[in-house]
Amino acid sequence: MVKLLLIYVRMNLYIHDMKTSPLSVNLRDEMAPHAENAAAFLSGLANPHRLMILCELAAGERSVGQLIAATGIAPTSMSQHLNKLKDEAIVAARRDHRTLHYTIVHPAVAEMMTTLRRHFCRKEDE
């Protein structure tokens, strides 16, 4: 019980120091708007289907048909996910006659997907 009380007191002192420290206040003021933007941006990516699409696009440009074949996502769902990614300026489309080809255009997403692809997108035998 005494150990828990000591831990509680130390945590409160630490939190109090962080709240009153000029450095933490400056960081908090500077980082808060960026953290909000980053959280909103990441929430748009936080969908298994969109991540599957982006994993496939991380390897290069793909047509809608190629994305459907690679991911197994139904065409109507694929269209909705691609539109959301396009609306958020994460991907861009290029039309070749009646075929749409998509590619990742957001530099931060390209960097993130390189890492995610290395760790999560690859098949076991690769």
Side-chain angles (χ1 to χ4, degrees):
M1 180 73 168
V2 173
K3 282 186 178 182
L4 287 175
L5 185 57
L6 284 173
I7 291 170
Y8 176 76
V9 169
R10 286 182 187 155
M11 285 177 52
N12 278 331
L13 288 173
Y14 176 74
I15 291 168
H16 175 72
D17 287 346
M18 288 299 294
K19 287 181 179 176
T20 58
S21 164
L23 179 59
S24 67
V25 171
N26 288 339
L27 284 176
R28 189 173 50 238
D29 291 343
E30 290 177 16
M31 291 176 61
H34 300 294
E36 290 293 327
N37 290 339
F41 174 73
L42 291 172
S43 73
L45 300 178
N47 175 284
H49 286 156
R50 285 194 286 278
L51 285 173
M52 289 169 55
I53 293 165
L54 291 169
C55 274
E56 190 61 28
L57 291 176
E61 183 182 79
R62 299 285 188 268
S63 70
V64 175
Q66 290 171 317
L67 290 171
I68 290 169
T71 63
I73 298 171
T76 53
S77 291
M78 178 65 71
S79 176
Q80 291 172 355
H81 289 299
L82 288 170
N83 280 331
K84 177 149 179 74
L85 292 169
K86 194 166 64 169
D87 289 345
E88 294 181 11
I90 293 170
V91 300
R94 175 183 67 81
R95 183 175 291 281
D96 183 20
H97 301 288
R98 292 180 5 172
T99 304
L100 284 175
H101 299 270
Y102 284 86
T103 188
I104 295 173
V105 293
H106 195 291
V109 173
E111 288 178 38
M112 288 186 325
M113 291 314 300
T114 298
T115 301
L116 288 174
R117 185 169 170 77
R118 191 174 335 118
H119 293 282
F120 298 104
C121 301
R122 299 177 68 169
K123 295 180 180 78
E124 298 273 335
D125 56 340
E126 286 185 25

